Amino acid sequence: MQEKLQQLKTEALAAYGEADSNLYDLCCKSYQIDEENLKWVTDMNFVNRLHNRKYLQEKVVEIGKENFAATIQKFLEETVVQYLIFVHKKYPIDYICLAWGVVANVIMNLNIYERTPFKNIYILPCFGDDGSALGAAIISGLERDNNLSWINTKTMPYWGPCYSRDEVLEALKNSWEKIYWEDKNISWPEDAAQAISNGKIVAVFHGKMEFGPRALGNRSILANPRDQKIREKMNLSIKRRPYFQPFCPSILESERTRLFSLSYPNKHMTMAFRFREEFRSILPSACHIDWTARPQFVE
């Protein structure tokens, strides 16, 4: 049970369940928000019970892992939204920038987008430890009065290593594993598109690697979102991860308002949006079970 508890993928699995009122109530009693000081207030009488491993393991068995995940997801969404409403009330600004690991939760981010007063939201593409290291370096530079104006010339997120065509060909030729390959030269984008249209799965290794956890076209696995079986095939056979994990579509910016009911030009797959109803059955492998998708809008 401990292993199963550790393997819960809260955000994706939550869409398959319903929040448990007793567990949710315990979460709310354990952690509350001090509106005046914008701080978390904990009640250790409830926190100690909530963080008891035996209690949590028994709760998973009692309500099921889907409902367990849905409860934690609901608590996260509600408390973060409430906190940011308090922030906006105290500091009535239009812009907010979000980072750190919790903003990997794109459904939480969608709630922030739909339910808080902020008009412009930016989520750092490298929102985990990599972004923290970057932020620490910038803060250190500012404290030393270094000239950091050069940062204005940088654009996220393609900051990683790049390999030449000759290096890729050399790696293929010298691979210890037997690989059958054919050099498509400059026609590879058209050939890849045709293969995807024919139901094949294509891996793209091109240009500089993305800085951050999202594959944004340069290190990506691509497939036809119209094929309902593609998601299961990629999850179980290729990525070897739980069946319920969603995949993220790359969508032309010009198609954004046609496909999604409410959205903005998010380029880094850091926000979920809701598909319009008429496209849900057309693009089944791009939708999660709750009809959301975490798209990369491409210009």
Side-chain angles (χ1 to χ4, degrees), residues 259 275-281:
L259 295 176
F275 262 110
R276 293 188 185 275
E277 187 173 354
E278 59 265 35
F279 297 105
R280 295 171 182 175
S281 60

mmCIF file of all heavy atoms in Angstrom, residues 259 275-281:
data_model
loop_
_atom_site.group_PDB
_atom_site.id
_atom_site.type_symbol
_atom_site.label_atom_id
_atom_site.label_comp_id
_atom_site.label_asym_id
_atom_site.label_seq_id
_atom_site.Cartn_x
_atom_site.Cartn_y
_atom_site.Cartn_z
ATOM 1 N N LEU A 259 -10.790 26.272 -30.789
ATOM 2 C CA LEU A 259 -10.802 24.987 -30.097
ATOM 3 C C LEU A 259 -11.120 25.089 -28.614
ATOM 4 O O LEU A 259 -11.678 24.156 -28.035
ATOM 5 C CB LEU A 259 -9.445 24.300 -30.267
ATOM 6 C CG LEU A 259 -9.047 23.897 -31.692
ATOM 7 C CD1 LEU A 259 -7.644 23.325 -31.718
ATOM 8 C CD2 LEU A 259 -10.036 22.887 -32.255
ATOM 9 N N PHE A 275 -11.531 22.310 -23.694
ATOM 10 C CA PHE A 275 -11.919 22.158 -25.091
ATOM 11 C C PHE A 275 -13.389 22.530 -25.280
ATOM 12 O O PHE A 275 -14.236 22.233 -24.436
ATOM 13 C CB PHE A 275 -11.746 20.697 -25.542
ATOM 14 C CG PHE A 275 -10.465 20.436 -26.280
ATOM 15 C CD1 PHE A 275 -9.462 19.682 -25.701
ATOM 16 C CD2 PHE A 275 -10.267 20.937 -27.556
ATOM 17 C CE1 PHE A 275 -8.277 19.431 -26.377
ATOM 18 C CE2 PHE A 275 -9.095 20.693 -28.247
ATOM 19 C CZ PHE A 275 -8.093 19.936 -27.655
ATOM 20 N N ARG A 276 -13.673 23.176 -26.395
ATOM 21 C CA ARG A 276 -15.075 23.379 -26.752
ATOM 22 C C ARG A 276 -15.719 22.023 -27.021
ATOM 23 O O ARG A 276 -15.075 21.101 -27.524
ATOM 24 C CB ARG A 276 -15.186 24.270 -27.987
ATOM 25 C CG ARG A 276 -14.723 25.705 -27.760
ATOM 26 C CD ARG A 276 -15.039 26.569 -28.966
ATOM 27 N NE ARG A 276 -14.490 27.911 -28.812
ATOM 28 C CZ ARG A 276 -15.106 28.906 -28.173
ATOM 29 N NH1 ARG A 276 -16.294 28.697 -27.627
ATOM 30 N NH2 ARG A 276 -14.547 30.090 -28.077
ATOM 31 N N GLU A 277 -16.989 21.915 -26.695
ATOM 32 C CA GLU A 277 -17.668 20.617 -26.724
ATOM 33 C C GLU A 277 -17.623 19.957 -28.092
ATOM 34 O O GLU A 277 -17.462 18.736 -28.206
ATOM 35 C CB GLU A 277 -19.121 20.788 -26.278
ATOM 36 C CG GLU A 277 -19.857 19.478 -26.116
ATOM 37 C CD GLU A 277 -21.234 19.658 -25.509
ATOM 38 O OE1 GLU A 277 -21.572 20.802 -25.114
ATOM 39 O OE2 GLU A 277 -21.977 18.654 -25.428
ATOM 40 N N GLU A 278 -17.715 20.742 -29.160
ATOM 41 C CA GLU A 278 -17.802 20.158 -30.501
ATOM 42 C C GLU A 278 -16.501 19.503 -30.959
ATOM 43 O O GLU A 278 -16.491 18.749 -31.937
ATOM 44 C CB GLU A 278 -18.224 21.223 -31.519
ATOM 45 C CG GLU A 278 -17.301 22.409 -31.628
ATOM 46 C CD GLU A 278 -17.731 23.579 -30.759
ATOM 47 O OE1 GLU A 278 -18.268 23.320 -29.652
ATOM 48 O OE2 GLU A 278 -17.531 24.733 -31.179
ATOM 49 N N PHE A 279 -15.386 19.755 -30.246
ATOM 50 C CA PHE A 279 -14.109 19.176 -30.653
ATOM 51 C C PHE A 279 -13.656 18.019 -29.763
ATOM 52 O O PHE A 279 -12.635 17.394 -30.025
ATOM 53 C CB PHE A 279 -13.025 20.258 -30.673
ATOM 54 C CG PHE A 279 -13.279 21.343 -31.672
ATOM 55 C CD1 PHE A 279 -13.723 22.588 -31.263
ATOM 56 C CD2 PHE A 279 -13.110 21.109 -33.023
ATOM 57 C CE1 PHE A 279 -13.980 23.594 -32.186
ATOM 58 C CE2 PHE A 279 -13.355 22.102 -33.957
ATOM 59 C CZ PHE A 279 -13.793 23.349 -33.535
ATOM 60 N N ARG A 280 -14.400 17.736 -28.723
ATOM 61 C CA ARG A 280 -13.975 16.707 -27.770
ATOM 62 C C ARG A 280 -13.935 15.319 -28.394
ATOM 63 O O ARG A 280 -13.009 14.544 -28.146
ATOM 64 C CB ARG A 280 -14.910 16.720 -26.552
ATOM 65 C CG ARG A 280 -14.814 18.015 -25.745
ATOM 66 C CD ARG A 280 -15.899 18.091 -24.687
ATOM 67 N NE ARG A 280 -15.830 19.359 -23.954
ATOM 68 C CZ ARG A 280 -16.714 19.725 -23.033
ATOM 69 N NH1 ARG A 280 -17.731 18.914 -22.728
ATOM 70 N NH2 ARG A 280 -16.584 20.887 -22.422
ATOM 71 N N SER A 281 -14.914 14.997 -29.197
ATOM 72 C CA SER A 281 -14.947 13.680 -29.832
ATOM 73 C C SER A 281 -14.041 13.616 -31.053
ATOM 74 O O SER A 281 -13.637 12.523 -31.467
ATOM 75 C CB SER A 281 -16.384 13.334 -30.238
ATOM 76 O OG SER A 281 -16.891 14.299 -31.152
#
